[in-house]
Amino acid sequence: MTFQPAGAPTKHRSLFWKYFRALFAAVVAPLMIAGAGEAWFGYHDQRARLNELLDAEARLAAVKIHDFIEGIQDQLSWTVQLPWTDNAGDRRMLDAMRLLRQAPAVESLALVDGTGRERLFVSRIGLNRVEAGEDRSATAPVTGARADRVWFGPVTFQNDSEPFMTIAVAGNRAAVGVAVAEVNLKFIWEVVSGIRVGRTGEAFVLDEPGRLVAHPDISLVLRADQAAQAPLQALRAAIQARAPGQAAAGRDITGKTVIAAMAQVPGVDWQVVVKQPIAEAYAPIYAALWRLGFLLVAGGLIAAALASWLSQRMVEPIRVLEDGVARIGAGQFDHRISLPTSDEFERLATRFNEMAGELAVSRERSERIARLKRFLAPQIAELIDRTGDERVLDGRRVEVAVLFCDIRGFTSFSANAEPEEIIDMLREYYDALERVVSAHGATLVNFFGDGVMVLLNAPVPCTDPELRATEMAIDMQANVQKLLVEWRKLHPELGFGIGLAMGPATVGRIGSGGRLNYTAIGNVVNLASRLCSSAADSEILVDLVAAAAIGTRVPLAQKDSRMMKGFDRPVPVFVVDVARGAALN
């Protein structure tokens, strides 16, 4: 390898052009152009053939399903040929029983005379009725059949399992009445399971709301599992989003990628979808790609022989880069890669050196933020890192809003609960509180068991700390009360209370060695803690100073003054109207 002497002007030569001319001109370029052309035109030709095939199969499947329904309709038409007479009961019963034998899909049949009264009812699973006389003239099947001659009801699932549909057929005269049949649609399985597209392609039927009416796997229909059927509904939506007659790709219930087309079943609001695995549909394209791959491999061998002498010149700089990257990856960010090759390798080495410098700065910043985040809200830690001023953490006396909260009944719960239940509960609880505290720009001072202490207006000043603290307390109650719905199944006595006080306190960093905490000391801290202890479930208790600062911006109600530990006189107490406060918030 040739290196330029020190001080000579650097002339960058493109590494791309050193190797590309020989390799590209020899074999790779012609093969790639030919292969890309074959793949492009082959794909479009195959896609056009698939559109035609799948569209034709979908239409054929729709016709088959229509024929199934029309066959039942024709059977029903034979039962409403003659007008009703007083002595026609036996003959009508014979016709009805014959229909049940000839049409296994019909679950039950009701014959209604010209006045709309039920004269005969036969069923495969229920009791037969003769001359029941029930007035069915105003029912949807009878009115629909009289209006349009044939009426198809929506698909229903009995016991959330088998799909049924009501079909009503009126005679050609009003006097002959209407035949109303309940049809078990699981018999469409025989029609659908006989439809095949290619080797493994199949069809399924969805009604307008997207429920599965028929599928080769009949268990999917009988389960009526909407969640399991969601991929089929998504596949139908993908087809509907394309132009008519165009197939669309998607996933079926098994997660396989398929290509599918759809057709409307005449007479009913059903769509039949035929699908074929995309691997099978594009098998000719894949075969062509395999042939192309073989040619590329052969050409690659020729290109490898041509490039072998060039690759030897690449070994040295690659090894230097590999060693340098390994050191930087191991954390030696002060290491610099020296590679004066006057080409892309040299520029790459320069980028790695720049990256190592940036990583060193980033690691120092991350460690700095990590130290601050141990006792500050993340946004405050970021602020201090950007400004580089930690004086806001120095000890000083300032008026702060202090909030304490804890879980009612937690001690008795933890005495009897399993350790895993306690840890899981506290993890959810801490996560919920940390999100609220961070959202309101507060400082979470400490977790102690189920208790939490939060500061506002320290270390970074904020406007209206009393109002922000109250809004934060309302959000805390809303989030924790949602968690308590499940927790009370484990321990009904669990609850959540909050105490809020405002006043002067000494704030700053306290600790030694590698462990520091930011906290507040003063009478206001004790008062907030006592208010928290005195609060009932769902309550937010506020002291007199905070209540006066809040004013009418948040609904407050004054309660009786209370004696609290550490205070000589009764303490005035106010409670936040959480429901009205949340509405304002």
Side-chain angles (χ1 to χ4, degrees):
M1 181 176 294
T2 303
F3 297 96
Q4 292 183 347
T10 301
K11 182 180 179 181
H12 292 289
R13 296 181 299 274
S14 173
L15 185 63
F16 175 82
W17 288 110
K18 290 180 181 178
Y19 306 103
F20 180 81
R21 289 190 183 95
L23 297 175
F24 194 88
V27 178
V28 176
L31 284 177
M32 291 295 293
I33 293 173
E38 181 180 355
W40 173 263
F41 291 109
Y43 168 79
H44 283 278
D45 291 344
Q46 182 66 12
R47 185 59 187 262
R49 286 194 295 270
L50 281 174
N51 282 335
E52 295 176 0
L53 173 63
L54 292 174
D55 184 61
E57 290 290 348
R59 293 179 184 276
L60 178 61
V63 170
K64 290 181 179 180
I65 295 172
H66 174 68
D67 291 344
F68 172 83
I69 297 174
E70 193 174 48
I72 297 175
Q73 177 185 334
D74 292 341
Q75 292 286 344
L76 293 176
S77 298
W78 283 103
T79 63
V80 286
Q81 294 292 320
L82 299 175
W84 286 88
T85 60
D86 293 337
N87 57 356
D90 293 340
R91 182 178 57 78
R92 296 282 185 172
M93 176 64 76
L94 182 62
D95 291 342
M97 299 305 294
R98 183 183 300 112
L99 184 143
L100 293 184
R101 287 196 301 271
Q102 294 176 350
V106 176
E107 189 76 14
S108 66
L109 172 68
L111 298 180
V112 179
D113 64 14
T115 64
R117 297 189 177 277
E118 180 187 300
R119 301 291 296 273
L120 177 65
F121 175 83
V122 293
S123 173
R124 296 183 187 276
I125 59 175
L127 298 177
N128 297 336
R129 297 191 299 268
V130 179
E131 300 295 342
E134 179 184 352
D135 186 4
R136 302 181 64 168
S137 60
T139 60
V142 174
T143 58
R146 285 175 172 174
D148 300 322
R149 182 67 191 283
V150 180
W151 181 84
F152 298 102
V155 178
T156 59
F157 288 82
Q158 292 189 5
N159 300 321
D160 293 328
S161 178
E162 295 186 13
F164 280 79
M165 181 179 70
T166 302
I167 300 179
V169 177
N172 54 8
R173 291 173 295 166
V176 300
V178 178
V180 181
E182 289 291 330
V183 180
N184 191 333
L185 298 180
K186 73 178 182 180
F187 286 87
I188 300 180
W189 173 83
E190 296 179 358
V191 178
V192 173
S193 62
I195 299 172
R196 280 288 178 266
V197 182
R199 297 191 310 274
T200 60
E202 58 191 16
F204 61 89
V205 182
L206 296 173
D207 66 359
E208 190 62 29
R211 296 171 298 185
L212 191 60
V213 176
H215 191 277
D217 185 356
I218 196 170
S219 64
L220 293 174
V221 180
L222 299 181
R223 289 202 306 268
D225 187 348
Q226 292 300 312
Q229 297 172 12
L232 301 182
Q233 298 166 3
L235 184 59
R236 182 181 70 173
I239 301 172
Q240 291 172 334
R242 299 181 67 87
Q246 293 293 312
R251 293 188 180 276
D252 62 7
I253 290 178
T254 62
K256 293 181 179 178
T257 302
V258 297
I259 186 167
M262 182 180 71
Q264 185 76 27
V265 178
V268 292
D269 59 348
W270 300 352
Q271 295 86 36
V272 58
V273 179
V274 296
K275 61 185 179 70
Q276 185 179 20
I278 205 163
E280 179 183 331
Y282 288 145
I285 299 296
Y286 297 153
L289 291 177
W290 276 109
R291 292 192 297 270
L292 175 62
F294 174 78
L295 293 175
L296 288 175
V297 170
L301 293 176
I302 298 173
L306 180 64
S308 60
W309 66 277
L310 291 174
S311 62
Q312 294 299 321
R313 301 182 62 185
M314 299 174 60
V315 172
E316 185 65 25
I318 288 176
R319 287 177 177 173
V320 174
L321 284 172
E322 181 182 11
D323 178 68
V325 171
R327 293 190 180 188
I328 294 173
Q332 299 180 26
F333 298 141
D334 58 343
H335 177 72
R336 295 296 179 264
I337 302 173
S338 177
L339 199 61
T341 57
S342 301
D343 54 25
E344 281 83 351
F345 282 123
E346 182 178 356
R347 291 197 290 274
L348 183 59
T350 302
R351 297 295 182 270
F352 277 123
N353 292 335
E354 293 173 354
M355 180 187 69
E358 293 172 358
L359 288 174
V361 174
S362 177
R363 181 172 65 178
E364 181 181 355
R365 180 175 180 270
S366 297
E367 292 174 351
R368 177 188 179 90
I369 294 177
R371 290 194 300 269
L372 294 174
K373 284 184 178 179
R374 288 185 302 165
F375 54 88
L376 294 180
Q379 59 267 39
I380 297 176
E382 296 283 353
L383 174 63
I384 294 174
D385 179 72
R386 288 197 303 269
T387 60
D389 186 4
E390 295 189 14
R391 287 179 296 176
V392 294
L393 305 180
D394 294 340
R396 56 197 175 99
R397 190 161 181 82
V398 65
E399 187 172 31
V400 295
V402 184
L403 182 146
F404 276 83
C405 60
D406 64 12
I407 301 176
R408 302 291 177 264
F410 182 78
T411 302
S412 59
F413 165 74
S414 59
N416 299 304
E418 295 295 330
E420 294 80 5
E421 293 178 340
I422 299 173
I423 295 301
D424 290 342
M425 177 186 291
L426 289 178
R427 184 182 298 110
E428 289 182 313
Y429 174 62
Y430 292 158
D431 288 345
L433 292 184
E434 283 183 334
R435 286 194 298 269
V436 175
V437 170
S438 177
H440 288 271
T443 300
L444 198 156
V445 175
N446 195 12
F447 287 118
F448 39 91
D450 61 311
V452 176
M453 175 181 173
V454 182
L455 287 180
L456 277 114
N457 206 40
V460 175
C462 65
T463 58
D464 297 326
E466 69 287 342
L467 181 61
R468 294 176 65 174
T470 307
E471 293 172 347
M472 179 176 65
I474 293 172
D475 287 349
M476 284 181 172
Q477 276 289 4
N479 281 270
V480 176
Q481 288 299 330
K482 292 178 182 177
L483 298 176
L484 284 170
V485 173
E486 292 297 325
W487 294 350
R488 289 192 178 111
K489 295 178 183 179
L490 302 175
H491 192 68
E493 298 179 1
L494 291 175
F496 182 65
I498 299 176
L500 171 63
M502 186 171 178
T506 300
V507 296
R509 290 177 288 192
I510 297 176
S512 63
R515 177 64 179 174
L516 292 174
N517 283 312
Y518 186 87
T519 189
I521 300 173
N523 188 60
V524 67
V525 178
N526 297 331
L527 178 55
S529 177
R530 298 293 181 262
L531 288 172
C532 175
S533 300
S534 181
D537 177 34
S538 301
E539 276 192 340
I540 302 173
L541 298 185
V542 181
D543 77 326
L544 178 60
V545 176
I550 294 169
T552 60
R553 292 177 292 179
V554 176
L556 300 175
Q558 186 169 4
K559 304 190 74 172
D560 294 336
S561 299
R562 303 181 185 181
M563 289 300 301
M564 296 187 182
K565 183 179 179 180
F567 294 86
D568 298 332
R569 291 178 293 181
V571 176
V573 177
F574 295 79
V575 64
V576 177
D577 188 335
V578 175
R580 292 176 59 196
L584 294 175
N585 193 11

